[in-house]
Amino acid sequence: MTKKLERPMIKVEGLTKRFTLHQHGGARIGVFGGLDLEVKKGECVVLAGASGMGKSTLIRCVYGNYLTSGGSVKILHDGAEVDLAGATPQTILDIRRRTMGYVSQFLRVIPRVSTLQLVMEPLLENGVSAEEAEARARAMLASLKLPEAHWSLPPATFSGGEQQRVNIARSFVREYPILLLDEPTASLDAANRGIVVDLIKAALAKGSAMIGIFHDESVREAAATRFFEIESYKTAA
Amino acid sequence: MTTQAPPLLRVNRVSKWFGEIVGCRNVSFDLHPGEILGVVGESGSGKTTLLRCLSGKLEPTSGGAEFLSKRHGPVDIFQLGEQDRRRLQREEWGFVHQNPRDGLRMRVSGGANVAEPLMSLGGRHYGQMRRATTDWLERVELDISRVDHKPRNFSGGMQQRIQIARNLIHQPRLVFMDEPTGGLDVSVQARLLDLLRELVRDLQLSAIIVTHDMGVARLMADRLLVMKNGDVVETGLTDQVLDDAQHPYTQLLVSSVLQL
Ligand SMILES: Nc1ncnc2c1ncn2[C@@H]1O[C@H](COP(=O)(O)OP(=O)(O)OP(=O)(O)O)[C@@H](O)[C@H]1O
Ligand SMILES: Nc1ncnc2c1ncn2[C@@H]1O[C@H](COP(=O)(O)OP(=O)(O)OP(=O)(O)O)[C@@H](O)[C@H]1O
Ligand SMILES: [Mg+2]
Ligand SMILES: [Mg+2]
């Protein structure tokens, strides 16, 4: 078998991000400039850098949640590179539905939807049958040790760590080719952090490409295949 | 890149003036099948005016809007004759008003309000219509035993659910909503929004939803259009517009909301 040159799943080139705060006399905050980063299948690039350095901002730019001020963010979607800067909202939503998942620190609770349904949703959206979606959602919730009595309830009343685990289940159940993780273990205890590390490793073994931010030293060391220091791209406004 | 179905609605430079007063000015956008577009902006910014123009209730001063009709194929809404336009509104669209009184017939029962669109579309089979009606009353979580009560005997939230059933029963492809949860208290509002969200997803509807509530916009809309003084000042993916607003007015709008 001839091995083709593998294309990166995420290709960030010359990325610049600044904010203009019109409410504060048009003050400009430069976050980073000229940033290059490639992430291939099976890689988990962990972002390093002090608070306020722009780790979350970088992840949000890659997800299309923040606009870029310069440079490009290319995502390999359906075998083609799509530059988010020029993509239509429909394309970005399609990429999020099928290619790229995002786990933030907080779950955006949808008031009446049950936990099980929430975890099934990303599968149903992708045409998985209801039966298979339910089986996979149950297995995922069980592996995250969320008590079964909680599954039929909406997560609104859950503890911080329980909500976080629902959030993680929702994103990992889908087996996205790309996963962006912004402190997914922030409110978990050591045992649960260990479970999440196992999920990350299993997803990497299946070829997922990841960018992660982890406060916890042990998670960081266990999950990372490589570290990326943001500080060198720091810019003034 | 993925192939995409053609837009259901193409809006091209729609303007409406009331004499010297601007309603909306040069508004253009495409709406795709299954997409929910949120229109936000302060009071008087032209949201309702735009919605009324696009839904054929108000003649714009200039501009065009092409709708991909099941019956006619692509048609400019504003060029259609009165009769065809009314038929389009009945057959392929729904319109949910902020005030249920504007969208319901107050003299006939809740059940009749829901069944009426089917009858006006020529439904003749009484049993089938009755079944569709009870089915829809159930979907919007109304007590079937009260099917014969008049709308005024229902609470505001229940009236709104009757209005929603009335506007979805004929399976429209496009639904216009003007502050659909505006007059309701917060807990009723949350339930209604959940319900709408489920229905829209299950039925693969396209919708244009006007709201001044950023929380509603976040929950419901795929994409946002921000209006000010009749102009669209910013558009984009909902979470991008709310989390990384570019225009000074959008930043003001977003920052004046405590929790999103
Ligand atoms: N939506 C926004 N509007 C304005 N400024 C923002 C916005 N998001 C981030 N910033 C600014 O960008 C800079 C980087 O923030 P970011 O959240 O990316 O840091 P971080 O490295 O993730 O920090 P932490 O480790 O504390 O989470 C900060 O100065 C922050 O105030
Ligand atoms: N029939 C009319 N005749 C004259 N002026 C009108 C008419 N309808 C609307 N306007 C004016 O057009 C502008 C836009 O009004 P519109 O009702 O579209 O605002 P809106 O964004 O829906 O506001 P709200 O959030 O308060 O409902 C306002 O200045 C309004 O006074
Ligand atoms: Mg951060
Ligand atoms: Mg209005």
Side-chain angles (χ1 to χ4, degrees), chain B residues 18 21-23 42-49 179:
Chain B
F18 302 100
I21 298 173
V22 64
E42 69 196 344
S43 178
S45 59
K47 306 181 296 294
T48 297
T49 302
E179 305 276 5

Side-chain angles (χ1 to χ4, degrees), chain A residues 19 21 29 31 50-58 66 183 213 215, chain B residues 243-244:
Chain A
F19 295 100
L21 308 182
I29 301 178
V31 186
S51 175
M53 211 45 86
K55 303 181 296 296
S56 298
T57 299
L58 175 55
Y66 283 179
E183 314 218 9
I213 303 170
H215 262 147
Chain B
D243 295 339
D244 188 14

Side-chain angles (χ1 to χ4, degrees), chain A residues 123-182:
Chain A
L123 294 172
L124 296 175
E125 275 177 16
N126 279 281
V128 175
S129 74
E131 211 174 324
E132 185 191 334
E134 182 170 343
R136 280 166 66 179
R138 286 176 170 278
M140 182 56 72
L141 288 167
S143 74
L144 282 160
K145 303 245 172 357
L146 192 76
E148 197 164 342
H150 287 51
W151 297 2
S152 58
L153 305 172
T157 57
F158 292 6
S159 74
E162 286 168 348
Q163 291 198 7
Q164 181 133 45
R165 277 179 280 160
V166 176
N167 214 4
I168 291 166
R170 231 173 109 78
S171 301
F172 278 87
V173 75
R174 168 70 185 87
E175 300 179 350
Y176 290 101
I178 296 174
L179 264 177
L180 308 173
L181 309 170
D182 191 344

Side-chain angles (χ1 to χ4, degrees), chain B:
Chain B
M1 226 189 255
T2 47
T3 51
Q4 267 154 7
L8 187 62
L9 183 68
R10 284 174 190 273
V11 178
N12 186 23
R13 300 175 71 82
V14 167
S15 298
K16 175 68 187 177
W17 290 84
F18 302 100
E20 297 282 284
I21 298 173
V22 64
C24 61
R25 181 158 42 195
N26 279 336
V27 178
S28 300
F29 64 87
D30 285 352
L31 183 74
H32 291 262
E35 189 176 42
I36 315 292
L37 177 77
V39 181
V40 299
E42 69 196 344
S43 178
S45 59
K47 306 181 296 294
T48 297
T49 302
L50 176 64
L51 203 68
R52 286 171 51 81
C53 285
L54 298 181
S55 58
K57 289 173 184 287
L58 188 66
E59 187 86 24
T61 310
S62 60
E66 188 183 270
F67 177 72
L68 199 56
S69 159
K70 248 194 184 125
R71 179 186 286 275
H72 306 279
V75 285
D76 190 319
I77 294 162
F78 310 133
Q79 305 299 323
L80 275 180
E82 183 64 19
Q83 210 176 358
D84 281 336
R85 178 159 39 193
R86 284 192 186 281
R87 193 158 60 186
L88 193 68
Q89 288 168 332
R90 257 197 333 264
E91 289 180 353
E92 303 192 44
W93 294 351
F95 195 108
V96 178
H97 293 82
Q98 171 170 1
N99 187 342
R101 284 169 186 281
D102 297 332
L104 292 176
R105 293 219 295 143
M106 300 306 283
R107 286 164 195 279
V108 303
S109 71
N113 263 289
V114 175
E116 194 178 54
L118 291 182
M119 286 190 279
S120 74
L121 289 175
R124 303 208 188 287
H125 196 293
Y126 181 78
Q128 261 171 22
M129 288 195 292
R130 176 112 196 151
R131 231 171 298 129
T133 303
T134 43
D135 177 46
W136 267 97
L137 288 171
E138 263 169 26
R139 283 185 96 148
V140 298
E141 299 165 11
L142 276 168
D143 184 352
I144 306 293
S145 69
R146 297 187 56 184
V147 57
D148 293 325
H149 295 189
K150 297 272 164 50
R152 77 179 116 75
N153 297 324
F154 290 102
S155 71
M158 289 159 102
Q159 288 180 5
Q160 201 56 312
R161 277 180 271 155
I162 296 173
Q163 199 196 169
I164 288 166
R166 175 180 165 93
N167 275 282
L168 296 184
I169 191 166
H170 60 295
Q171 304 190 322
R173 309 167 66 207
L174 174 57
V175 181
F176 301 92
M177 302 190 223
D178 195 352
E179 305 276 5
T181 58
L184 305 172
D185 68 52
V186 178
S187 66
V188 179
Q189 198 179 20
R191 286 188 57 190
L192 198 66
L193 284 172
D194 272 345
L195 179 72
L196 274 175
R197 196 179 150 274
E198 277 166 36
L199 290 173
V200 162
R201 205 191 74 169
D202 290 353
L203 304 171
Q204 274 290 297
L205 286 175
S206 301
I208 302 178
I209 175 167
V210 163
T211 177
H212 63 267
D213 182 328
M214 298 300 137
V216 171
R218 167 95 70 181
L219 188 67
M220 296 293 296
D222 299 314
R223 204 149 57 85
L224 288 187
L225 215 109
V226 183
M227 293 187 73
K228 180 179 195 287
N229 295 336
D231 296 315
V232 172
V233 296
E234 184 163 354
T235 69
L237 273 181
T238 298
D239 62 82
Q240 183 263 301
V241 171
L242 296 179
D243 295 339
D244 188 14
Q246 304 294 305
H247 192 276
Y249 176 68
T250 316
Q251 290 190 358
L252 178 69
L253 206 63
V254 171
S255 71
S256 55
V257 185
L258 286 178
Q259 251 280 340
L260 282 176

